[in-house]
Amino acid sequence: MERTFSIIKPDATKRNITGAINKIIEENNLKIVAQKRLKLSVEKAKGFYSVHQDKPFFNDLIDYMTSGPVIIQVLEGNNAVEEYRKIMGSTNPDNADKGTIRKEFALNIQENSVHGSDSPSNANIEIKYFFDDSEIVI
Ligand code: CMP
């Protein structure tokens, strides 16, 4: 069993498709063991995406991620990090495989509906950035 961190992003909460995304997550044997709906502060979003702070899209990314509510989640399952990345599809929906969340729902490379951790060690860091252990219930 492994855990990964997920964000359902503002483009998805605005279009009321969070349930449709959760359905795909659950159908693929990932269990949502923690979930919160909140609006990210600029400070929290900048801290989360600090690895991208020198990228040309950083300011737009922070504006977008703070433009509306997000759903933050902890997902648990076998190979959860890799499995969720498969289900999400490529960052750019134009390159995503059919049936993936981003192919079905993402609007463009920035408004791409979901985030998922890229490694088990980053999953651990990202989960701790948002959740206390007591908020994760199996
Ligand atoms: P995510 O997986 O959350 O990681 C970083 C985010 O930055 C990414 O999803 C997109 O929302 C955004 N992003 C990545 N690459 C680009 C890009 N080339 N232009 C604009 N936004 C991007």
Side-chain angles (χ1 to χ4, degrees), residues 9-106:
K9 298 184 176 183
D11 70 89
T13 57
K14 276 178 198 157
R15 288 179 289 151
N16 215 22
I17 55 172
T18 64
I21 292 172
N22 277 347
K23 183 165 184 277
I24 296 175
I25 289 171
E26 292 183 338
E27 281 172 353
N28 283 276
N29 299 318
L30 291 170
K31 186 171 176 181
I32 301 164
V33 294
Q35 178 165 260
K36 272 190 240 184
R37 181 181 175 101
L38 50 83
K39 195 153 183 290
L40 290 175
S41 66
V42 169
E43 188 191 13
K44 196 84 177 169
K46 281 184 172 171
F48 182 73
Y49 280 121
S50 62
V51 66
H52 295 302
Q53 63 191 354
D54 296 326
K55 304 264 172 63
F57 58 81
F58 182 69
N59 288 338
D60 282 347
L61 176 62
I62 300 306
D63 285 349
Y64 157 61
M65 289 301 293
T66 57
S67 68
V70 296
I71 310 270
I72 56 169
Q73 303 174 310
V74 180
L75 310 181
E76 188 175 272
N78 288 326
N79 286 319
V81 170
E82 200 184 316
E83 282 305 311
Y84 191 42
R85 290 185 74 77
K86 261 191 232 161
I87 297 164
M88 287 194 300
S90 295
T91 304
N92 185 343
D94 291 344
N95 304 328
D97 290 336
K98 198 164 172 278
T100 60
I101 293 170
R102 284 169 171 161
K103 189 66 176 182
E104 296 298 314
F105 299 118

Side-chain angles (χ1 to χ4, degrees), residues 105-120:
F105 299 118
L107 301 176
N108 51 57
I109 194 169
Q110 177 178 268
E111 296 171 295
N112 61 357
S113 302
V114 282
H115 164 85
S117 309
D118 63 5
S119 67

